[in-house]
Structure formats: C-alpha cells, structure tokens
Amino acid sequence: FTSSAEDILVSVIVSVRNDATGVEQLTDDLRMQTLGHERFEVIIADDGSKDALPLLASSGPTIRITRERAQNAYAARNRAARLARGRALAFTDADCRPQADWLVHGIEALQFADLVGGHIELEFPDRVTAWAVIDAAAFDQERYVAMGKAATANMFVWRAQFERHGGFDATLPSGGDWDFAERCVTSGARLVYSRLAVVRHPARGSPRAFLVRRWRIEHAMAMRMARQKRPVNRSREAVIPRRFGFAVGYEPDRLLRLGVPPGWRTRLRTVPARYLISPPVEAFAQATGWLRVRRGRLEARQHPSGTGENDKEIRR
C-alpha cells in the first residue's frame, strides 16, 4: 500500500533500539488509527538494533524503516524526519500504545499551535513497585507543557517548524525533546497540551530501568546547564520538587490522580529509592555531564582549529 507525497498529512516517527516486539505492537495500533491510512506514513528509525525488526505487514499505512549505526534516539529521529513526506511530524516511542484517535486529535490540536504535547497515560506493572510510583509521579506531560517543554513519547510539530529550529540536538543522550521544545517556545512558537491525543506508556517498575533513565536525564540536564553556564544545583527542570539539586520530592495529588494511594505507606516505601539510591546516581550523572562539556571546552581551546563533537558543544 503506497500513498503519494501530496496525500501525506503526517509522518509518524518512531525511534527504536532492540525492541522488535514493541515495534510490532505499535504498528498494529497505528493500523487501527481512525485517520485514513492514505493520510499518514510511519517511519521506523532503527538506532543500531542488534535484533532484527519484524517483517511488517503491507496492509495499512505506508511503513518505512531507516537503519544506521547506534548513536542515540535523537539522531535517529532527525534521520527519519529528513525522509518524512508529511506536513506534520508525530513522534512516539516503540513502547507506547496510541489510542485509535491519537492522530486525529493530535492534528486537530496542531491546527492552533506550532507544537503539541499530547497526553501520556501511565500504565503500572501488575506489581506496583516503589520505582514505578516515583517514575509515574515524575512523568507528567501536562506539566511539561506548562514548563515550556514536551516529551517525544507524544509530540506533534509542523515539519517546517522542526526544520527551522534544526531538529533535535543529537549530542544530548537525553532531554533533546525538552531542549527542542524550549528552543521553539523561546523563539515565539506556540506550544499547547492536548488531553485528547493519548498514548499509553509503561511506568518503569524495576530499579535498573528507572535508574538508567534517571542517569540519562540528569547527565543531559547537566550538559545543557554547563553549556548555558548555569549552576546545576539550581536547576528546576523536574516535575516533582527538587531537594539539594535532586528530584526526590513527593506529590500526593499527582499520585492520587494516577490511582495510587498517596498515604504514609506509599511515602514510606519510596523513601529508600528517593533519598538513598537515586540521589547518588543523579549526582554522578550530573558531575559526568558537566565534566563532559568542560573537557570539550578545554580540548577546543588547546586545538582551536579542530572540528567535531566538542566544537559542536561550544557552538550550541
């Protein structure tokens, strides 16, 4: 099934690394979209997967796959965006499950904006762990948008706007979506939140999954703070309150909205994760992120004629 470029309204871009099952389930959901299949395409940006992606059925929307060596999700998304034929770009992840009317509502919201952050509905594992509770408390797209940011788990943007701002910063291991949205908003673009454009996203219920994500977020945050010459310990880039520079706060109202009893039992069982385990990981991530930029600046001063990633870090 193919569509002409003139028919394509939106290009759905999905970055993936080693999640063949997620890609297969996601594309099944995309075939159920109420937007006509001739009106959108799907571009899977494979970021150096070691496992083979599934053979995707030919029925439904046009599905294309672009493969490249492993770099990061933002480089993969940029690569896919260069291949896109749609006037709008819709970003989501391989582990997300869009509702059937996701594209219809996302495009409707985009008619009145330059950039849209759609609703992300958190799904808990069968056994609700302390890690899943604090992960879900910090993953709030509505508040991201209120902060002038948005997550690529559910983001819509006009392709012209994406190109105008140079796409995502591929030197960031995480936070490239926040950085992109912030650059758009700072330049005068209108960012809105859509409660109707919904994708479901799993809460990270294991310590490894949670801490790996926190490390990436804090490492990239420190890189951006260092580039902007702002103190890392004064960053307010967190949905839940920070204490001494770490995202360890607790918000009962947010947990109640997610269906989690926010009483003393929940508070008590999240204390070790919030105060004893996560802060050292975040501190190490922040230190290495700051040093990564600092080292790049020193090397650039020593080799002023050089080119490469370190030079890119200085220019940004």
Side-chain angles (χ1 to χ4, degrees):
F1 185 93
T2 59
S3 301
S4 66
E6 292 77 13
D7 293 332
I8 303 295
L9 172 62
V10 56
S11 298
V12 180
I13 294 177
V14 183
S15 68
V16 62
R17 182 188 294 176
N18 300 326
D19 191 3
T21 300
V23 169
E24 192 167 20
Q25 293 174 347
L26 173 62
T27 52
D28 286 343
D29 289 337
L30 292 174
R31 291 189 188 96
M32 301 299 292
Q33 290 295 302
T34 55
L35 183 68
H37 290 169
E38 74 284 357
R39 301 293 285 153
F40 72 98
E41 64 177 355
V42 181
I43 306 177
I44 308 297
D46 184 353
D47 185 41
S49 293
K50 294 182 180 179
D51 57 347
L53 293 180
L55 293 175
L56 303 174
S58 59
S59 61
T62 301
I63 299 176
R64 294 187 284 160
I65 299 176
T66 171
R67 293 183 174 91
E68 189 55 82
R69 64 178 178 82
Q71 187 174 354
N72 61 49
Y74 300 110
R77 292 179 181 116
N78 286 343
R79 186 172 67 250
R82 288 193 290 271
L83 301 175
R85 297 180 294 171
R87 290 188 290 116
L89 306 177
F91 294 95
T92 191
D93 297 331
D95 58 353
C96 290
R97 300 292 168 260
Q99 288 192 354
D101 54 3
W102 172 59
L103 287 176
V104 168
H105 287 304
I107 292 298
E108 285 178 350
L110 198 56
Q111 302 304 312
F112 305 97
D114 302 293
L115 189 69
V116 173
H119 179 67
I120 300 172
E121 186 174 300
L122 274 296
E123 291 188 329
F124 289 97
D126 294 335
R127 179 175 172 269
V128 180
T129 65
W131 302 103
V133 169
I134 57 179
D135 184 54
F139 207 153
D140 188 341
Q141 181 83 305
E142 185 173 11
R143 194 170 295 185
Y144 293 169
V145 171
M147 295 164 60
K149 309 175 192 300
T152 42
N154 191 354
M155 178 193 287
F156 290 78
V157 60
W158 293 113
R159 182 155 58 99
Q161 180 82 6
F162 187 81
E163 293 172 350
R164 184 179 306 124
H165 292 281
F168 299 113
D169 184 343
T171 69
L172 292 173
S174 182
D177 43 7
W178 279 29
D179 170 77
F180 171 74
E182 187 177 55
R183 281 187 277 125
C184 291
V185 171
T186 300
S187 70
R190 186 173 184 230
L191 167 65
V192 301
Y193 170 71
S194 173
R195 185 173 293 278
L196 298 178
V198 180
V199 302
R200 303 190 309 278
H201 189 291
R204 292 164 180 83
S206 71
R208 176 178 174 80
F210 175 86
L211 292 173
V212 166
R213 178 172 181 267
R214 289 305 311 165
W215 191 94
R216 289 202 315 267
I217 289 173
E218 296 296 313
H219 181 86
M221 182 272 293
M223 288 177 63
R224 290 188 287 117
M225 295 296 103
R227 289 172 180 175
Q228 298 167 15
K229 298 182 179 179
R230 293 163 55 191
V232 174
N233 62 354
R234 295 184 184 178
S235 171
R236 297 182 179 179
E237 292 194 352
V239 171
I240 56 179
R242 285 184 178 268
R243 299 288 185 271
F244 306 106
F246 307 117
V248 297
Y250 187 87
E251 291 204 342
D253 291 343
R254 166 70 173 158
L255 294 177
L256 193 60
R257 292 197 301 273
L258 293 169
V260 178
W264 67 268
R265 288 185 178 85
T266 301
R267 185 185 292 267
L268 184 62
R269 73 189 181 105
T270 60
V271 162
R274 289 190 294 126
Y275 288 100
L276 302 179
I277 302 175
S278 189
V281 172
E282 293 185 13
F284 181 65
Q286 291 174 9
T288 55
W290 185 87
L291 287 172
R292 180 176 176 179
V293 174
R294 177 67 176 172
R295 184 171 60 248
R297 287 176 176 159
L298 290 174
E299 290 177 356
R301 282 201 292 268
Q302 293 169 1
H303 307 283
S305 61
T307 59
E309 180 177 323
N310 291 330
D311 295 321
K312 292 179 183 176
E313 290 185 352
I314 295 172
R315 288 195 297 268
R316 290 182 182 273

